[in-house]
């Protein structure tokens, strides 16, 4: 659906050349929600401008649905952009127009007849949960409602791709979740390909299928969200994952628990996907005649499935405890001893 091949974007500044995107190769599949995450200066905003044709790559190509966006201009590029919509961090609404008029605006530009415009606007107001607010002005809306208008406006021309540029970073956590739920619903209903640019791992965790982690203009790690949560490879990825995984709290819990337990073993067990619902701990206790006490745990949910950790204190005969740990490994669980007798 979306393919970036050997993309490099270099800006010329008074202090010399600045490489904003450096040798990026990326493929985004039809109908998926793909996240691009990075801190300020990572190059993610440049990436989104390359996707909608606002910037041309210095080298490489950007292809969307078979059309090379990086090689067209003028009327052809304007026509292509009607299929690549965007929502923004600060909404970018027309403050002198009502909700309905804001949503109608791109249809006016596209030359859609008035009656057809009116019908489409009504459909979109219903879709984004703003029924009865069509005659309100942006100043009369909450932040979440404004973003719903932005989403409706972006959907007006039936785009194939929706780009989201930090679309929830100006919203409170509860409103953020509501907007993310709306995007997920739209993705499932319309089969729309969504690309999210963000610096918040919660956004990636909640709705994305896959994620690319950017640092200094490069994609340093990429994969399914669950896979990245389970085994982050790069230091920056580990930082992002720790924002939502509770890893820091787990480490603190292990330090405190090591002070409390003077015998037995503390085991950190990692569960992924369907493993989170299997009675592995009870099976281990029955088979190996040990005492097991769950002393700390957390489960996070992603679109690919849940991911969680448990800290379990094991007491019993040394051989039985070792056999229990081997049982966990044989059950395809990651089991790590985090304290010794």
């Amino acid at each position: 659906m979306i393919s970036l091949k050997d993309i490099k974007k270099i800006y010329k500044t008074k202090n010399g050349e600045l490489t904003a995107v450096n040798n990026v190769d990326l493929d985004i599949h039809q109908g998926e929600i793909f996240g691009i995450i990075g801190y300020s200066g990572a190059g993610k905003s440049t990436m989104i401008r390359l996707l909608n044709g606002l910037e041309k790559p210095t080298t490489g190509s950007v292809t969307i649905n078979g059309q090379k966006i990086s090689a067209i201009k003028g009327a052809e590029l304007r026509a292509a952009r009607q299929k690549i919509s965007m929502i923004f961090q600060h909404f970018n609404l027309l403050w002198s127009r009502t909700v309905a008029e804001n949503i109608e605006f791109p249809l006016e530009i596209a030359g859609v007849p008035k009656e057809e415009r009116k019908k489409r606007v009504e459909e979109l107001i219903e879709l984004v949960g703003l029924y009865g607010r069509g005659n309100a002005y942006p100043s009369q809306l909450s932040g979440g409602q404004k973003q719903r208008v932005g989403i409706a406006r972006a959907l007006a021309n039936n785009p194939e791709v929706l780009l989201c540029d930090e679309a929830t970073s100006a919203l409170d956590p509860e409103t953020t979740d509501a907007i993310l739920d709306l995007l997920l619903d739209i993705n499932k209903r319309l089969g729309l390909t969504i690309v999210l640019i963000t610096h918040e791992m919660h956004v990636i965790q909640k709705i994305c299928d896959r994620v690319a982690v950017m640092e200094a203009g490069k994609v340093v790690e990429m994969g399914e969200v669950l896979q990245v949560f389970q085994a982050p490879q790069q230091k920056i990825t580990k930082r992002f994952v720790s924002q939502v995984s509770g890893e820091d709290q787990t480490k603190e819990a292990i330090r405190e628990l090591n002070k409390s337990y003077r015998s037995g073993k503390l085991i950190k067990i990692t569960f992924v996907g369907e493993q989170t619902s299997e009675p592995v701990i009870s099976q281990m206790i029955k088979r190996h005649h040990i005492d097991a006490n769950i002393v700390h745990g957390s489960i996070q949910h992603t679109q690919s499935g849940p991911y969680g950790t448990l800290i379990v204190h094991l007491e019993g005969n040394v051989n039985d405890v070792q056999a229990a740990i081997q049982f966990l490994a044989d059950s395809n669980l990651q089991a790590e001893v985090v304290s010794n007798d």
Side-chain angles (χ1 to χ4, degrees), residues 26-41:
L26 197 64
D27 290 304
I28 298 171
H29 307 146
Q30 170 70 43
E32 78 172 330
I33 303 180
F34 190 92
I36 300 175
I37 190 168
Y39 291 114
S40 179

Side-chain angles (χ1 to χ4, degrees), residues 39-77:
Y39 291 114
S40 179
K44 59 188 188 298
S45 293
T46 300
M47 284 278 283
I48 207 166
R49 291 173 66 84
L50 289 166
L51 287 172
N52 63 15
L54 288 174
E55 297 280 2
K56 299 290 185 184
T58 305
T59 61
S61 63
V62 179
T63 304
I64 298 182
N65 208 16
Q67 188 171 31
K68 192 171 285 188
I69 300 297
S70 55
I72 60 176
K73 55 185 179 180
E76 190 177 4
L77 179 58

Side-chain angles (χ1 to χ4, degrees), residues 50-327:
L50 289 166
L51 287 172
N52 63 15
L54 288 174
E55 297 280 2
K56 299 290 185 184
T58 305
T59 61
S61 63
V62 179
T63 304
I64 298 182
N65 208 16
Q67 188 171 31
K68 192 171 285 188
I69 300 297
S70 55
I72 60 176
K73 55 185 179 180
E76 190 177 4
L77 179 58
R78 288 193 293 273
R81 280 196 189 129
Q82 289 190 1
K83 295 299 180 182
I84 310 168
S85 283
M86 192 161 173
I87 58 175
F88 306 89
Q89 177 180 357
H90 297 296
F91 320 125
N92 288 15
L93 301 180
L94 300 170
W95 297 92
S96 62
R97 292 192 174 213
T98 65
V99 166
E101 289 167 345
N102 265 280
I103 299 170
E104 187 180 11
F105 186 60
L107 297 170
E108 290 179 36
I109 295 174
V112 176
K114 186 174 182 179
E115 284 304 311
E116 190 176 335
R117 294 201 308 260
K118 183 178 179 182
K119 181 181 178 182
R120 179 65 175 153
V121 168
E122 289 174 354
E123 291 172 354
L124 290 167
I125 286 176
E126 183 79 24
L127 177 66
V128 301
L130 288 175
Y131 182 78
R133 302 295 283 163
N135 292 323
Y137 287 88
S139 61
Q140 299 171 305
L141 303 178
S142 68
Q145 290 172 327
K146 290 171 188 172
Q147 194 58 284
R148 288 173 185 269
V149 178
I151 292 169
R153 181 183 59 187
L155 297 175
N157 281 316
N158 294 302
E160 297 167 349
V161 177
L162 179 62
L163 306 177
C164 305
D165 187 9
E166 299 278 8
T168 59
S169 61
L171 305 175
D172 63 74
E174 186 176 347
T175 306
T176 290
D177 280 350
I179 293 298
L180 293 176
D181 286 339
L182 175 60
L183 290 173
L184 188 60
D185 181 59
I186 288 168
N187 168 258
K188 290 179 177 177
R189 283 198 200 189
L190 306 180
L192 194 63
T193 303
I194 299 178
V195 182
L196 284 165
I197 302 293
T198 185
H199 65 275
E200 298 172 297
M201 197 62 180
H202 171 71
V203 173
I204 301 296
Q205 173 199 355
K206 187 169 175 64
I207 69 169
C208 291
D209 300 301
R210 291 191 300 142
V211 61
V213 182
M214 290 196 71
E215 185 177 29
K218 294 185 176 183
V219 172
V220 296
E221 191 162 352
M222 183 168 59
E224 291 187 2
V225 172
L226 184 58
Q227 169 196 334
V228 170
F229 261 75
Q230 180 186 3
Q233 300 299 307
Q234 301 298 319
K235 185 177 179 180
I236 187 171
T237 311
K238 292 175 182 178
R239 286 174 62 191
F240 278 123
V241 170
S242 70
Q243 291 179 3
V244 291
S245 68
E247 183 64 22
D248 291 341
Q249 292 91 330
T250 299
K251 289 179 181 177
E252 179 62 27
I254 290 170
R255 282 193 290 269
E256 292 302 315
L257 289 165
N258 272 317
K259 297 175 185 177
S260 303
Y261 292 99
R262 299 300 181 183
S263 63
K265 289 185 183 292
L266 282 176
I267 310 296
K268 177 184 174 184
I269 307 169
T270 302
F271 298 82
V272 180
E274 294 179 358
Q275 294 174 334
T276 56
S277 61
E278 294 175 1
V280 179
I281 301 299
S282 62
Q283 291 173 2
M284 177 189 69
I285 295 169
K286 290 176 183 177
R287 289 192 184 195
H288 298 286
H289 310 293
I290 58 170
D291 292 324
N293 182 27
I294 297 173
V295 291
H296 181 79
S298 67
I299 293 179
Q300 306 294 327
H301 292 274
T302 74
Q303 286 303 303
S304 303
Y307 162 83
T309 58
L310 287 179
I311 306 299
V312 181
H313 180 245
L314 304 182
E315 279 277 11
N317 177 276
V318 172
N319 291 333
D320 289 339
V321 169
Q322 192 56 47
I325 295 171
Q326 185 59 49
F327 169 78

